[in-house]
Amino acid sequence: VSAGARGESLLRAVRRLLTGCDGLVVSSIVNVRYLTGFRGSTAYALVLRDAALFFTDFRYQEQAEAEVREPWSVVVGKGTARAGMLREIVNRKVARLGFESSAPFELYEELRGAAGDVQAVGDRVARLREVKTAEEIAAIREAVRRAEVAYREVGPRIRAGVTERAIANRLEERLRREGCRRAPFDIIVASGPNSSRPHAGVTDRKVRPGDLVTVDWGGEADGYCSDMTRTVLVAGKETARKKAIHGLVLRANRAGVRSVRAGLSTRTVDRAARRVIDQAGYGEYFGHGTGHGIGLDVHERPALGPRGTTRIRSGMVFTVEPGVYVPGLGGVRIEDMVLVTGKGYEELTALPRELEIIS
Ligand code: ZN
Ligand code: ZN
């Protein structure tokens, strides 16, 4: 599929969203990238029934000409991208203008007077991103590979006496050496009592004997993200209970992954994982959803929570990441990435999941 053909088919899909409005402002920069191919940080796309306009300012003119694909027309006027878009909306007498739910309020304020009327289109453009193309899947695979290479090197260095920050820094450095332009999110290395907070960051705490250490990190390739979590145990006190919790979370992770099938709703995966933890009596210690879609954004649609009603489709990529967090004792999360296929699923994450006990 050529870039132009891809651009055309995406544009047709966006035009099908123009029910009730005759123009749509795409203001989410990730959605702009997805539709047009542009990788810079300031741009808007305006989809009309008879035109597809891409707006940026002079700083990005060259980049836009190189990256923005057919059939988009690049518009670089005087002043800001926003001013250029405003002029087109006025000149073309757009009667009813659609906005994404993520549109900044000030953009909305600025443009709504230019059109006759406005309409909310919610996250319908973001929904187009749920099912990945072969090209996107290839980029995600590379993002997974880079993250795994980094962990295989840094993981074995986790031991008592090393700080969380040192582990995170090494991982980040290794990701960059592997070709990632950035870490797609702040790496989490949470040791001991810190590990019972699912979204702990990184501190200068030194890993101690008896600690569960949760490492949540991801790679990047061609703008696409990966996201995975492993939890290791440093031998010490209450080892048996910590091993049991890890075993429980691993069973929940496997149950979630094995439940993935096109046609089911996303909450089925959440239920499959959650049931294992509930039945073991740890339900109150699993306070987040089981997973999330991943692509150009590290967290994107669909959400895999108890109320997730999105139908699973072939080509979706999401995480399965149950966790159990016991205050005072520590937490375990095991996060893998899954690609939905016609027959079932393919696991994108290849790193071992069995508990590693560091002596
Ligand atoms: Zn994660
Ligand atoms: Zn995640």
Side-chain angles (χ1 to χ4, degrees):
V1 184
S2 74
R6 174 77 181 141
E8 291 279 3
S9 78
L10 277 173
L11 187 57
R12 276 198 300 279
V14 178
R15 286 212 170 102
R16 282 196 290 273
L17 306 178
L18 296 179
T19 51
C21 52
D22 48 6
L24 170 62
V25 176
V26 181
S27 51
S28 146
I29 194 67
V30 179
N31 288 345
V32 171
R33 147 92 204 244
Y34 180 71
L35 296 177
T36 71
F38 178 67
R39 291 152 192 242
S41 57
T42 306
Y44 300 99
L46 178 64
V47 180
L48 304 171
R49 292 192 190 280
D50 57 357
L53 306 173
F54 169 94
F55 300 89
T56 189
D57 63 60
F58 70 96
R59 295 172 298 165
Y60 292 105
Q61 183 158 11
E62 262 181 58
Q63 186 181 352
E65 278 157 10
E67 291 174 351
V68 173
R69 61 190 163 216
E70 296 283 316
W72 292 87
S73 309
V74 175
V75 183
V76 183
K78 289 199 197 84
T80 64
R82 198 177 275 197
M85 182 162 60
L86 179 66
R87 271 194 300 276
E88 288 289 339
I89 291 166
V90 171
N91 290 345
R92 289 170 184 262
K93 300 185 172 60
V94 176
R96 200 175 165 97
L97 191 59
F99 287 88
E100 299 182 277
S101 52
S102 60
F105 185 72
E106 55 171 16
L107 176 75
Y108 170 78
E109 285 274 279
E110 209 172 313
L111 299 183
R112 70 172 176 183
D117 199 0
V118 293
Q119 186 179 338
V121 301
D123 60 356
R124 280 185 263 170
V125 179
R127 266 189 255 172
L128 297 175
R129 288 164 35 204
E130 287 179 345
V131 171
K132 272 64 182 176
T133 63
E135 199 182 7
E136 293 182 286
I137 292 165
I140 292 171
R141 283 185 200 280
E142 176 61 14
V144 170
R145 191 195 66 78
R146 291 175 181 180
E148 294 197 333
V149 166
Y151 187 79
R152 282 182 204 277
E153 186 173 303
V154 176
R157 297 185 181 190
I158 301 174
R159 60 188 132 72
V162 180
T163 67
E164 294 174 356
R165 200 175 307 281
I167 297 163
N169 287 348
R170 276 203 193 120
L171 258 177
E172 186 151 350
E173 186 195 319
R174 195 66 190 81
L175 286 167
R176 282 179 197 280
R177 241 195 301 148
E178 210 50 44
C180 302
R181 270 164 294 180
R182 58 190 168 86
F185 56 91
D186 287 342
I187 295 169
I188 297 172
V189 178
S191 64
N194 295 346
S195 67
S196 65
R197 291 182 292 124
H199 283 276
V202 163
T203 72
D204 288 311
R205 184 182 184 279
K206 283 181 181 160
V207 172
R208 292 177 207 164
D211 280 358
L212 283 163
V213 184
T214 297
V215 183
D216 188 343
W217 80 108
E220 177 271 345
D222 201 19
Y224 285 80
C225 308
S226 64
D227 179 12
M228 51 198 84
T229 306
R230 289 293 179 266
T231 304
V232 302
L233 175 60
V234 182
K237 58 183 192 310
E238 290 191 85
T239 295
R241 186 163 179 221
K242 289 165 188 164
K243 275 167 80 171
I245 290 172
H246 189 280
L248 172 63
V249 173
L250 182 54
R251 286 200 303 283
N253 168 294
R254 294 294 84 196
V257 167
R258 286 172 190 146
S259 74
V260 172
R261 187 147 34 91
L264 301 176
S265 76
T266 50
R267 66 169 173 244
T268 319
V269 180
D270 182 81
R271 273 189 198 150
R274 197 170 300 279
R275 187 185 303 132
V276 174
I277 292 172
D278 282 346
Q279 283 175 353
Y282 280 88
E284 65 177 299
Y285 301 115
F286 176 25
H288 57 75
T290 292
H292 53 86
I294 180 164
L296 285 170
D297 275 327
V298 65
H299 293 117
E300 57 180 49
R301 294 182 49 89
L304 280 76
R307 284 177 300 279
T309 54
T310 305
R311 199 167 55 84
I312 296 172
R313 281 171 291 163
S314 176
M316 282 184 170
V317 176
F318 46 72
T319 68
V320 175
E321 49 176 307
V324 166
Y325 312 92
V326 183
L329 187 79
V332 174
R333 179 168 63 257
I334 304 171
E335 175 175 26
D336 287 303
M337 287 173 60
V338 174
L339 164 67
V340 183
T341 64
K343 290 181 190 131
Y345 63 88
E346 182 196 335
E347 293 214 63
L348 298 179
T349 323
L351 282 177
R353 300 171 187 87
E354 292 66 37
L355 180 61
E356 204 187 315
I357 302 177
I358 298 156
S359 50

